[in-house]
Amino acid sequence: MPTALITGITGQDGQYLAEFLHTMDYKVYGMVRGQRNPKAEIIQRELPFVEMINGDLQDLSSLIATLEYCQPDEVYNLGAISFVALSFKQAELTADITGLGVLRLLEAIRLVGGPNNPIRFYQASSSEMFGKVRETPQNELTPFYPRSPYGTAKVFGHHTTVNYRESYDLYACSGILFNHESPRRGIEFVTRKITNAVARIKLGLQTEIVLGDLTPRRDWGFAGDYVKAMWAMLQQDEADDFVVATGETHSVSEFCQLAFEAAGIEDWERYIRQDERFMRPSEVDLLIGDPQKAKDKLGWTTEYGFRQLVQAMVENDLAIETANIGR
Ligand code: NAP
């Protein structure tokens, strides 16, 4: 039975990846941080096949102990401070977890793994590394120009992954994933904030959504599709880096419009209020990925379209908010 360790198991991607690996008959370990992490209880309830283990990307010795205990064939490093807005407010913490955390985990793999115990490594890199884009669409060779502490930390993690692959002959891959969403997306992220607010407006629980800039364009896919690319990267003969994206781009306002439409509300603009507080010090205006290499080499494709994704998120939030009223 292959064994996988997932850091960031309590996050959106960790849950989809754990479910996918379980269907492939993996033994799945999930690393959780903190003394009594409330999200760990949810994972234990909803994904009972995951064995939880305590560890923190800020603590090298806990990573070594985790690897020694799990003896994984594959490690998926999904743990991070992943919310760009928070990274501006807690830049040092972001650099430490999202950036240095990658180095610590690779060091732990180098120490615990080795030729007799090879461990394959996946790093969750991000399209935010392209930032102020140098070319459109962005592919594996597009130069990076990050525009946030999150983006700069991810660039460090990406280059460290490549460097460990080349220096120590580790099977280490970097997946440069463009935005991917789902009903499990954290409520702090703009997509879920919108779908949740739309549901609440529909049910008369809220009167407006307060947002920042509506013009940024993103390449949005479905998280359940994207975790399959992570796994496929670790099944190749040679480790490599891949862009994972849909190749389509949509603005935040288009996302809003579709979300309101999904709830049967047409005059959507009257429910939006913009506030400086939600503007970033430096914004990424346009992201659109070229997933050709992932399609050709991994055979990866998306099953969920943009409209379908927004619809599923709104329906999920309507169900949650409706159930909350009944409580
Ligand atoms: P997420 O929902 O924000 O999950 C982040 C995870 O990191 C959480 O489980 C969190 O655990 C964990 N974490 C935070 N600090 C940690 C620490 N010190 N040690 C160990 N774990 C820690 O993120 P996601 O959307 O699933 O994304 C997964 C990964 O892909 C992230 O690295 C993200 O940056 C990257 N990525 C995401 C996207 C996207 O659109 N979703 C796109 C490109 C790249 P707690 O529950 O304890 O906070």
Side-chain angles (χ1 to χ4, degrees):
M1 186 188 246
T3 300
L5 169 68
I6 302 173
T7 74
I9 187 74
T10 58
Q12 168 188 259
D13 291 5
Q15 295 175 53
Y16 282 105
L17 180 61
E19 279 172 346
F20 177 65
L21 294 177
H22 184 56
T23 65
M24 309 283 284
D25 286 333
Y26 275 65
K27 164 76 186 163
V28 181
Y29 291 95
M31 194 181 85
V32 283
R33 64 168 173 163
Q35 201 170 317
R36 188 154 183 262
N37 188 327
K39 289 191 228 159
E41 286 169 29
I42 299 170
I43 302 298
Q44 207 67 96
R45 196 171 57 239
E46 293 184 2
L47 308 175
F49 55 84
V50 174
E51 184 172 337
M52 300 292 200
I53 177 151
N54 286 103
D56 197 307
L57 287 165
Q58 290 183 287
D59 179 359
L60 175 63
S61 64
S62 76
L63 299 176
I64 293 172
T66 299
L67 292 175
E68 281 177 341
Y69 177 78
C70 306
Q71 294 292 323
D73 302 299
E74 297 170 8
V75 171
Y76 296 86
N77 184 34
L78 310 186
I81 297 292
S82 71
F83 187 42
V84 174
L86 181 67
S87 81
F88 282 105
K89 298 198 169 93
Q90 298 187 8
E92 185 185 342
L93 184 70
T94 304
D96 196 11
I97 296 173
T98 307
L100 270 179
V102 184
L103 177 89
R104 291 189 193 100
L105 190 49
L106 282 163
E107 270 300 291
I109 287 175
R110 195 168 71 81
L111 295 169
V112 176
N116 300 326
N117 189 15
I119 297 173
R120 294 192 167 203
F121 175 77
Y122 171 83
Q123 167 56 16
S125 291
S126 164
S127 56
E128 289 287 323
M129 300 191 302
F130 296 123
K132 191 171 179 180
V133 296
R134 307 282 86 191
E135 63 180 353
T136 295
Q138 297 84 50
N139 63 38
E140 293 78 5
L141 301 176
T142 302
F144 300 136
Y145 195 138
R147 298 267 285 169
S148 63
Y150 170 76
T152 57
K154 284 289 184 188
V155 170
F156 175 83
H158 171 84
H159 285 310
T160 303
T161 302
V162 174
N163 180 247
Y164 270 61
R165 176 167 78 217
E166 294 174 355
S167 304
Y168 304 114
D169 202 20
L170 290 185
Y171 189 107
C173 298
S174 172
I176 306 173
L177 270 54
F178 282 61
N179 288 60
H180 43 281
E181 317 295 316
S182 74
R184 282 174 168 155
R185 189 60 144 151
I187 199 90
E188 66 275 28
F189 293 91
V190 70
T191 50
R192 183 78 197 286
K193 178 176 169 179
I194 293 167
T195 60
N196 180 259
V198 165
R200 291 175 60 80
I201 288 169
K202 176 77 179 173
L203 296 170
L205 300 169
Q206 188 171 324
T207 53
E208 62 178 11
I209 314 179
V210 187
L211 296 169
D213 194 352
L214 301 184
T215 59
R217 302 183 72 83
R218 292 289 183 273
D219 180 328
W220 275 300
F222 170 54
D225 287 339
Y226 283 41
V227 299
K228 295 178 186 167
M230 297 176 187
W231 172 80
M233 279 179 223
L234 297 199
Q235 314 310 314
Q236 304 302 302
D237 291 337
E238 281 184 21
D240 203 349
D241 308 319
F242 292 88
V243 158
V244 180
T246 67
E248 267 182 44
T249 189
H250 299 276
S251 65
V252 176
S253 61
E254 277 176 76
F255 192 101
C256 287
Q257 185 180 355
L258 273 190
F260 276 103
E261 269 177 34
I265 301 171
E266 273 173 22
D267 51 347
W268 62 277
E269 276 160 303
R270 75 185 183 91
Y271 295 102
I272 308 282
R273 182 161 64 82
Q274 285 183 276
D275 190 318
E276 283 286 327
R277 281 183 307 128
F278 295 105
M279 308 277 183
R280 294 176 183 174
S282 55
E283 187 49 270
V284 172
D285 299 324
L286 166 75
L287 291 174
I288 175 165
D290 173 3
Q292 201 55 48
K293 182 175 168 186
K295 286 185 175 171
D296 292 345
K297 292 200 168 174
L298 306 178
W300 178 79
T301 50
T302 45
E303 284 168 30
Y304 245 69
F306 180 62
R307 182 177 285 274
Q308 212 183 347
L309 172 65
V310 179
Q311 176 103 28
M313 291 176 70
V314 171
E315 280 170 10
N316 170 69
D317 278 316
L318 273 169
I320 291 174
E321 293 299 332
T322 306
N324 284 344
I325 295 171
R327 281 209 183 105

